[in-house]
Amino acid sequence: MPDRPSVGIAVLIRREGKVLLGLRRNAHGDGTWAAPGGHLEFGEGFEECAHREVLEETGLEIAHLHQGIVTNDVFEDEDKHYITIIMIADYIEGEPTVLEPEKCESWQWFRWNELPDNLFLPLQNAMQEGFNPFEEKQITSFL
């Protein structure tokens, strides 16, 4: 087991009252629905990582990035520990495309109050804290 947590960035992309989630495969959280995202690279800012990961995984253009919530996620079965920074972004253009089929089976838009039961742990933890990406009072702007 690693001696320190890794840092992950997840991006909840908002479009017409829905968020984009992908069905994970071949990694921890296999078979769960997650926001696009990945590891924060050395020297990279949250916003830069969010843009890079969304483009690499979905091909979508996003804007208006804000920090939403930070979760402490221990994946006991996989011996992994992440600090996940959940970012909020608005959809600009494009259709979500599976650009990393080894990691994601499909992309789908969901209403926040109609999310699937099998959510990736960071989203489960955010929801347990009462987080809602559509409530502006819960979002911190990056300046």
Side-chain angles (χ1 to χ4, degrees), residues 43-69:
E44 190 174 43
F46 300 164
E47 190 172 330
E48 181 183 6
C49 179
H51 275 286
R52 176 181 57 78
E53 288 289 350
V54 167
L55 194 58
E56 287 175 0
E57 293 182 8
T58 71
L60 294 179
E61 293 293 328
I62 58 172
H64 310 118
L65 271 164
H66 297 79
Q67 181 180 336
I69 189 172

Side-chain angles (χ1 to χ4, degrees), residues 14 38 109 126 134 142:
R14 304 182 297 189
W109 296 98
F134 294 97
F142 283 106

Side-chain angles (χ1 to χ4, degrees), residues 45-114:
F46 300 164
E47 190 172 330
E48 181 183 6
C49 179
H51 275 286
R52 176 181 57 78
E53 288 289 350
V54 167
L55 194 58
E56 287 175 0
E57 293 182 8
T58 71
L60 294 179
E61 293 293 328
I62 58 172
H64 310 118
L65 271 164
H66 297 79
Q67 181 180 336
I69 189 172
V70 177
T71 59
N72 185 26
D73 310 304
V74 179
F75 298 85
E76 293 180 11
D77 291 342
E78 295 95 352
D79 288 332
K80 294 179 185 261
H81 183 183
Y82 278 83
I83 303 303
T84 306
I85 300 151
I86 299 178
M87 305 286 290
I88 311 302
D90 291 325
Y91 164 87
I92 297 297
E93 66 181 359
E95 283 304 316
T97 304
V98 176
L99 297 175
E100 296 179 335
E102 69 283 359
K103 297 179 184 177
C104 179
E105 188 172 309
S106 65
W107 294 109
Q108 188 172 332
W109 296 98
F110 293 94
R111 293 207 177 281
W112 189 251
N113 60 350
E114 298 173 357

